Amino acid sequence: MRVHALGSAAVHAIGIDIGGTKIAGGVVDELGGIVRFERVPTDANDATAIEAAIVTMIEDLTGGERMPVGVAAPGFIDAGQSTVYYTPNIPWRNEPLRERLEARLGLPVVVDNDANAAGWAEFRFGAGRLVSDMVMITSGTGVGGAVIAGDRLLRGGFGVAGELGHMRVVPDGIPCGCGARGCIEQYGSGRALLRMANEIADVGGIGLGLAAARADYGVLTGDIVGQFIAAGDPGAIHALQELGRYIGAACASLAAVLDPELFVIGGGVSVAGDLLLDPIRESYLANLPARGYHPEAVFVIAELVNDAGVVGAADLARIHSLSR
Ligand SMILES: [Zn+2]
């Protein structure tokens, strides 16, 4: 496996990934391998308990050994990898998380956005390990992402670059949780796929299968739509293709700005594989500026499905400790 040359000392590091319902953590080696792993459930409303759980987990994982710590959190983190400006699910507002954890642990800590950490892991050890410029788009409940430009994670001037879910793809479109309208999150997420599947079920025709399932189960769920896609149901496939077309159009805009060699598609929706990649690619090409002359990026599904946040956070911490 090629590993980007960003320091080769054999340093283990801790990666912690804070989710809405659980905290995952691991000791990660310099090749991205998880040496030790833990997971605990959390109450997202209790910031004090979350901090205590993080400290306990890190002390447990290090076993008294000194190693750098990377913490991946959902939300806006400052460019200095220190302060959590805002998390949508946990009540952290302008929280100096790095300072607090360093004081409690006596270990070097960096804090990063969880999507950035997962994208970094994919760049270092997964689908992006052979390129220097890649964009990762994660289509799960929402849409997230990360941008690697010139072998570096793009953080932006304020630390909040790479919020790809809130790129506008439809002027005056569906209102988004962020306060704007027409964000790709409303057209390219798992939630959007469900909405589209329901719309197709309403119309009948190719939606008859979905309509019957909805009548049987009372409501369509992501699992049901996923099963219908896997079974080749034309209505479910049509919904997936529609979703793919929006993501592909967003990728064409991203290509105009960032010119990545590679788009990595991750998240729950990406289990559809080529059924998703094909409409993304088609729409990307149809919307690409200077079509026919613009070099075409490659589209692949993410490789590090589980625990990419843990691996990426640990690697960012390791690299940061080497550069101190
Ligand atoms: Zn938005």
Side-chain angles (χ1 to χ4, degrees), residues 19-243:
T21 57
K22 62 176 171 47
I23 300 171
V27 178
V28 180
D29 68 22
E30 70 279 12
L31 296 174
I34 296 181
V35 179
R36 227 170 322 163
F37 186 80
E38 284 187 19
R39 191 188 320 240
V40 294
T42 58
D43 174 4
N45 297 312
D46 189 345
T48 309
I50 291 173
E51 190 183 307
I54 294 168
V55 169
T56 304
M57 183 178 276
I58 293 168
E59 285 172 344
D60 227 46
L61 287 168
T62 62
E65 209 182 315
R66 192 168 172 77
M67 47 183 96
V69 176
V71 177
F76 287 4
I77 319 288
D78 76 321
Q81 296 173 281
S82 301
T83 302
V84 180
Y85 288 135
Y86 169 82
T87 44
N89 302 319
I90 302 163
W92 276 330
R93 303 290 180 265
N94 295 316
E95 174 72 25
L97 188 61
R98 174 181 181 170
E99 204 178 289
R100 291 181 61 87
L101 291 175
E102 284 188 338
R104 290 182 71 166
L105 292 159
L107 295 171
V109 176
V110 292
V111 182
D112 255 292
N113 170 273
D114 56 353
N116 278 349
W120 182 255
E122 206 61 51
F123 163 69
R124 289 271 286 158
F125 308 113
R129 63 187 177 275
L130 298 178
V131 304
S132 289
D133 293 83
M134 65 163 251
V135 172
M136 171 137 173
I137 297 181
T138 307
S139 172
T141 312
V143 172
V147 176
I148 310 293
D151 289 323
R152 292 170 65 104
L153 179 62
L154 190 76
R155 289 201 171 83
F158 303 104
V160 296
E163 288 290 331
L164 304 182
H166 301 289
M167 285 193 313
R168 190 169 69 172
V169 289
V170 178
D172 299 320
I174 297 171
C176 181
C178 74
R181 279 175 173 273
C183 297
I184 182 71
E185 179 151 300
Q186 301 306 320
Y187 299 87
S189 62
R191 221 180 277 146
L193 181 68
L194 261 187
R195 188 191 69 241
M196 292 163 179
N198 273 299
E199 285 166 3
I200 290 166
D202 290 341
V203 173
I206 59 166
L208 281 175
L210 288 170
R214 190 170 59 185
D216 280 352
Y217 295 99
V219 64
L220 287 178
T221 63
D223 278 349
I224 295 170
V225 175
Q227 284 164 22
F228 271 64
I229 289 168
D233 174 77
I237 300 248
H238 186 79
L240 184 72
Q241 288 171 336
E242 201 174 329
L243 174 131

